[in-house]
Amino acid sequence: MRGLLSTEVETVGGKTMFFDENITFIDLEASDRRDAIRKMALSLYDAKLVSETFERGVLEREDRFPTGLSVGTIGIAIPHTDADKVIKPQIAFASLKSPVKFCLMGTSDVEVDVSLIFMLALKKSEDQLTMLQRLMEIFEDQKLLSEFAECKSQEGLEQLLNQAGLK
């Protein structure tokens, strides 16, 4: 992913460090989309990666501009908000124990059962667009998406992220 984003991010051994294990959830239990967003945003806030207004910003944006996608048999959401609410760029990931409903992107009343969430916390709007485009390329690979949905360990997630070119 080197060179993919214009934002300077922390690197270790020359590798961009996204999807930190402290903001990664395998089998996250959430009662609904708001609960899932809250839990993920709180992990970003606790890690001092986003401001205290990040969660509210994500929830409000999701209400206005839904990010749910149905890709084959897998529902995905890509919640995010304005770059000014980000302190340090990062992407949080969650596979949900049970799917929750998100509104389908481009609609306000069509719901999709989401089991994978990629929450973007990026400092520049052009970086959000670049990452959204990169994620969409990955979402076209149904086999890879199935592997993300079936992943049950941080180590397995790391391998999938490397395979997808996100780590």
Side-chain angles (χ1 to χ4, degrees):
M1 196 160 91
R2 197 176 235 337
L4 179 63
L5 302 179
S6 62
T7 304
E8 289 298 315
V9 296
E10 191 174 317
T11 61
V12 175
K15 293 188 95 175
T16 303
M17 301 308 294
F18 281 116
F19 299 98
D20 182 277
E21 67 183 41
N22 295 320
I23 56 169
T24 298
F25 300 90
I26 306 292
D27 283 338
L28 176 67
E29 292 189 36
S31 57
D32 59 23
R33 72 178 172 84
R34 296 181 79 76
D35 186 38
I37 288 171
R38 280 188 187 108
K39 288 176 177 178
M40 294 177 75
L42 181 60
S43 73
L44 287 162
Y45 179 71
D46 286 347
K48 299 180 180 16
L49 299 168
V50 298
S51 72
E52 62 185 19
T53 61
F54 181 82
E55 176 188 326
R56 185 177 66 240
V58 172
L59 288 167
E60 289 174 358
R61 188 187 185 291
E62 191 66 34
D63 286 342
R64 287 190 324 269
F65 305 104
T67 64
L69 296 169
S70 182
V71 181
T73 60
I74 299 174
I76 304 162
I78 317 166
H80 54 283
T81 190
D82 300 325
D84 65 343
K85 294 170 180 55
V86 176
I87 296 167
K88 186 174 169 187
Q90 193 56 255
I91 301 170
F93 170 80
S95 64
L96 302 178
K97 186 166 189 155
S98 299
V100 297
K101 297 204 180 292
F102 273 72
C103 282
L104 189 64
M105 192 179 288
T107 75
S108 61
D109 59 348
V110 177
E111 293 181 325
V112 59
D113 288 327
V114 165
S115 47
L116 295 176
I117 301 174
F118 293 83
M119 181 178 282
L120 306 184
L122 300 172
K123 286 187 71 71
K124 296 182 179 178
S125 57
E126 61 267 22
D127 289 343
Q128 287 184 349
L129 180 59
T130 301
M131 182 53 73
L132 285 170
Q133 290 170 336
R134 178 67 183 118
L135 287 171
M136 293 301 207
E137 291 171 11
I138 292 165
F139 298 163
E140 291 175 4
D141 185 340
Q142 190 67 40
K143 181 180 180 296
L144 183 59
L145 277 182
S146 293
E147 290 175 10
F148 271 102
E150 294 166 10
C151 181
K152 299 298 178 197
S153 71
Q154 181 67 32
E155 182 180 286
L157 178 62
E158 296 286 333
Q159 291 172 352
L160 288 171
L161 292 170
N162 280 325
Q163 182 181 337
L166 290 174
K167 198 77 167 152

